[in-house]
Amino acid sequence: MSSEGVKEDCLGWAARDPSGLLSPYKFSRRTVGRDDVSIRITHCGVCYADVVWTRNEHGNSKYPLVPGHEIVGIVKEVGCSVQRFKVGDRVGVGTYVNSCRECEYCNDRLENYCKKGPVSTFDAIDADGTVTKGGYSSYIVVHERYCFKIPETYPLALAAPLLCAGITVYTPMMRHKMNQPGKSLGVIGLGGLGHMAVKFGKAFGLKVTVFSTSISKKEEALSLLGADHFVISSDPEQIKAMAKSLDFIIDTASGDHPFDNYMSLLKTGGILALVGYPSEVKFSPASLNLGMRTVSGSKTGGTKDIQEMIDFCAAQKIYPKIELIPIDYANKALERLIKRDVKYRFVIDIENSLK
């Protein structure tokens, strides 16, 4: 990414090969353009995507690879045409940093579905031909359209997980009108995404039931996160007792699981929103047709929705549960993430540990 005469003044941690092992790495960022914002990164959330790409699980990772797409920090420089931000502002950057800005989806502020494909925050080819590098780094330069204001009252460390985990569940909840008080919501999986779905559900006034294979999560779900009910998803009797009781389900699980069982829990006209990535989705047509049910997919969110969600979290005092870590713990954090040993999101303290 660097060229002759370009100063490699950005310090990051990068994977060099499919082992995924991260270590210090110096590189250059592009010069701030007229519409760009340069951000001194203070914190970066750790997402399972960081595992997938650093370990080349899709077979197309480009090394050295700097992961991280839940980025927050402070504006340190702005381009001459930037309107929305000034030096010193608190900002966030999510899972993408560019899009065509011309297609119907970009025009509708659904840039995450850009026809030409949104440019991912790391390990993607940007418009200038360079490979994007993510938030496990000291600063980043991003077009202002893909930056978001973090309210002064919202702690920066807690804002990081909103940029992927938070928006991934918020978007389908709003699209399918899951914000109707008194309705019932099922949340499958209680990790980074699931715990945010519970928090949004309670903020919307829903009756929330958590489904998990682990009984150890019952106390956390009910006491810590405020869910109304907890169901062991591998227990046929507990599942049977919930038949046709839910208006909505948010499915955050990426491990393979039986969909017909969960579809049977939806009321007539109920909606299951899938945000996880199991290896296959398989269910009987009768699970849909006989109950007039809907299965819908979703990924992250557009720029309008992201800012709306951040403002909503600030107004309602909705905060992710995090474990704050130094950058030199990143490799251990990724190992623990694979084992699902985190409550509920790792956030790297970039400003105090990346030296």
Side-chain angles (χ1 to χ4, degrees), residues 177-339:
K177 298 180 172 58
M178 298 185 192
N179 58 343
Q180 303 173 59
K183 296 280 189 175
S184 52
L185 169 71
V187 177
I188 303 173
L190 195 62
L193 276 66
H195 97 287
M196 289 303 301
V198 173
K199 284 176 171 285
F200 286 134
K202 294 307 297 179
F204 292 146
L206 304 179
K207 298 171 185 173
V208 180
T209 299
V210 170
F211 296 88
S212 176
T213 57
S214 176
I215 187 66
S216 65
K217 293 191 174 181
K218 181 175 182 178
E219 185 64 25
E220 303 163 17
L222 299 177
S223 300
L224 186 65
L225 301 176
D228 299 285
H229 305 286
F230 182 89
V231 172
I232 295 294
S233 53
S234 56
D235 184 336
E237 292 304 313
Q238 290 191 45
I239 292 293
K240 188 177 179 181
M242 294 287 296
K244 298 182 180 179
S245 66
L246 301 174
D247 296 290
F248 315 109
I249 293 175
I250 292 280
D251 186 351
T252 73
S254 287
D256 289 336
H257 51 286
F259 280 81
D260 285 307
N261 287 355
Y262 289 116
M263 298 287 283
S264 72
L265 308 183
L266 289 170
K267 297 178 182 178
T268 299
I271 297 167
L272 185 149
L274 178 67
V275 295
Y277 287 85
S279 63
E280 68 173 4
V281 175
K282 187 177 180 180
F283 52 83
S284 165
S287 291
L288 282 183
N289 301 347
L290 299 185
M292 198 175 67
R293 300 180 180 110
T294 299
V295 174
S296 174
S298 189
K299 67 165 188 175
T300 63
T303 55
K304 178 177 178 291
D305 291 334
I306 294 172
Q307 188 64 63
E308 176 188 284
M309 174 212 56
I310 292 170
D311 294 342
F312 178 76
C313 287
Q316 299 295 319
K317 295 181 170 56
I318 298 171
Y319 303 117
K321 298 289 184 181
I322 71 165
E323 183 174 333
L324 192 64
I325 61 170
I327 187 70
D328 59 11
Y329 192 79
N331 288 307
K332 179 67 173 176
L334 294 178
E335 290 290 343
R336 285 180 55 191
L337 188 56
I338 293 169
K339 298 172 184 174

Side-chain angles (χ1 to χ4, degrees), residues 44-65:
C44 184
V46 177
C47 176
Y48 201 83
D50 303 344
V51 173
V52 171
W53 269 268
T54 56
R55 301 189 180 208
N56 197 30
E57 292 185 9
H58 291 319
N60 57 2
S61 294
K62 296 169 280 295
Y63 299 100
L65 190 153

Side-chain angles (χ1 to χ4, degrees), residues 6 20-21 59 66 73 76 82 87 102 105 121 151 157 163 165 182 201-202 222 232 251 280 294 311 317 320 338 347:
V6 176
L21 186 68
V66 179
K76 65 174 189 169
V82 170
V87 172
E102 297 173 345
Y105 302 108
T121 302
L163 280 308
K202 294 307 297 179
L222 299 177
I232 295 294
D251 186 351
E280 68 173 4
T294 299
D311 294 342
K317 295 181 170 56
I338 293 169
V347 173

Side-chain angles (χ1 to χ4, degrees), residues 10-24:
C10 190
L11 178 60
W13 274 49
R16 270 48 173 221
D17 57 53
S19 71
L21 186 68
L22 300 166
S23 58

